[in-house]
């Protein structure tokens, strides 16, 4: 009884991942990021415009998250809500958004400073990126109770460690970390979506 | 003291303590709102049964029910009131104390 009371409030968070759309979206975003890093890593020196490195990542991340949010809402509206119902989640307050931004920016800034001072540690960059992605996925898994998110986090960490150990170029290694996690998320999301569509249907009489 | 904690279980809010209503309140406790279809698919209650439990919670002032349309489809959206959230917090605290005592 007590476990049920404690577990039930987490169920709506789990519900967000029931249709696999969130993982498909995140997977696509990670694959676009991987493509961006791969282009940067494979392009001959001086062939890309100078703004590409500086602006490419923030533009892709910000616009990708906006497009992701809008398209996710539209698809859930047509696919998920008519089948298993609508849930409105609490909005993240500006204080929490700022806190997340400051923590993320601060950690990145410290990492850049550290790598500038100790360039021999550049080889560990993919492992650090994999660890950062793993932490995010593990937190999401803990919050929602969705085990496959934790597995994707472990995959990110393992890929980062392997790529660091093998030692390829910085951009290519970043592309490998983001690419493998993106592909895993996409495949997982598609399988979950297929299962969701197979096992659910709009109630009889619904438009 | 232990007796007081255990006796407190007899004072829990009976509107929330009923299992189906407890599940409904627990599901709504961490979201802004959810519609009838979501609550029905999660609780597996019949439409009539779910409706009567929602009405009971509404009468107690714990639930707000808004009827409207999502596109052309009728939709019933439910959300806990601040009184409902407070009552659920108190209920959880009472149950934790009672279960904690009885486990020792």
């Amino acid at each position: 009884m007590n476990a049920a009371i404690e577990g039930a409030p987490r169920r709506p968070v789990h519900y967000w991942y029931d249709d696999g759309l969130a993982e498909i979206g995140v997977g696509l975003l990670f694959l676009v990021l991987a493509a961006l890093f791969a282009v940067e890593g494979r392009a001959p020196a001086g062939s890309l415009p100078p703004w590409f490195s500086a602006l490419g990542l923030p533009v892709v991340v910000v616009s990708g998250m906006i497009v992701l949010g809008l398209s996710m809402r539209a698809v859930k509206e047509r696919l998920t809500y008519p089948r298993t119902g609508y849930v409105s989640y609490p909005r993240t307050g500006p204080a929490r958004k700022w806190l997340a931004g400051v923590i993320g920016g601060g950690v990145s800034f410290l990492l850049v400073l550290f790598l500038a001072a100790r360039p021999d540690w550049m080889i560990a960059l993919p492992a650090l990126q994999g660890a950062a992605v793993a932490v995010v996925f593990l937190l999401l898994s803990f919050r929602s109770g969705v085990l496959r998110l934790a597995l994707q986090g472990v995959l990110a960490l393992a890929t980062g460690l392997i790529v660091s150990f093998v030692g390829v170029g910085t951009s290519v290694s970043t592309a490998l970390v983001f690419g493998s996690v993106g592909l895993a998320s996409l495949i997982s999301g598609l399988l979950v979506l297929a299962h969701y569509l197979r096992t659910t249907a709009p109630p009889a009489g619904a438009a | 003291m232990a007796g007081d904690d255990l006796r407190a279980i007899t004072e829990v809010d009976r509107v929330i303590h009923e299992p189906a209503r407890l599940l409904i309140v627990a599901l709504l406790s961490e979201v802004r709102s959810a519609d009838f279809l979501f609550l029905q698919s999660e609780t597996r209650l019949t439409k009539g049964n779910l409706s009567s439990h929602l009405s009971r919670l509404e009468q107690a002032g714990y639930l707000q029910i808004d009827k409207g349309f999502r596109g052309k489809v009728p939709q019933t959206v439910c959300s806990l009131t601040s009184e409902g959230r407070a009552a659920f917090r108190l209920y959880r605290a009472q149950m934790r104390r009672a279960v904690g005592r009885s486990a020792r």
Side-chain angles (χ1 to χ4, degrees), chain B residues 15-36:
Chain B
V15 175
I16 291 185
H17 190 58
E18 198 285 327
R21 287 197 290 271
L22 176 58
L23 183 54
I24 293 167
V25 172
L27 286 169
L28 290 171
S29 65
E30 294 295 320
V31 300
R32 286 164 74 195
S33 61
D35 71 358
F36 190 91

Side-chain angles (χ1 to χ4, degrees), chain A residues 10-19 89 143-148:
Chain A
R10 230 165 44 158
R11 175 59 201 140
V13 185
H14 192 294
Y15 178 64
W16 178 256
Y17 300 95
D18 274 6
D19 53 15
Y89 295 91
R143 201 169 148 251
S144 63
V146 180
L147 182 65
R148 57 181 191 276

Side-chain angles (χ1 to χ4, degrees), chain B residues 59-100:
Chain B
Q59 279 165 16
Y62 294 166
L63 192 76
Q64 185 181 328
I65 300 176
D66 295 303
K67 290 180 188 280
F69 284 86
R70 195 166 191 85
K72 291 177 181 171
V73 184
Q75 190 187 34
T76 303
V77 177
C78 307
S79 55
L80 284 185
T81 60
S82 49
E83 289 84 7
R85 289 182 195 279
F88 183 54
R89 270 197 301 274
L90 178 64
Y91 176 84
R92 280 173 89 169
Q94 286 173 320
M95 289 302 284
R96 267 200 212 109
R97 273 202 301 275
V99 172

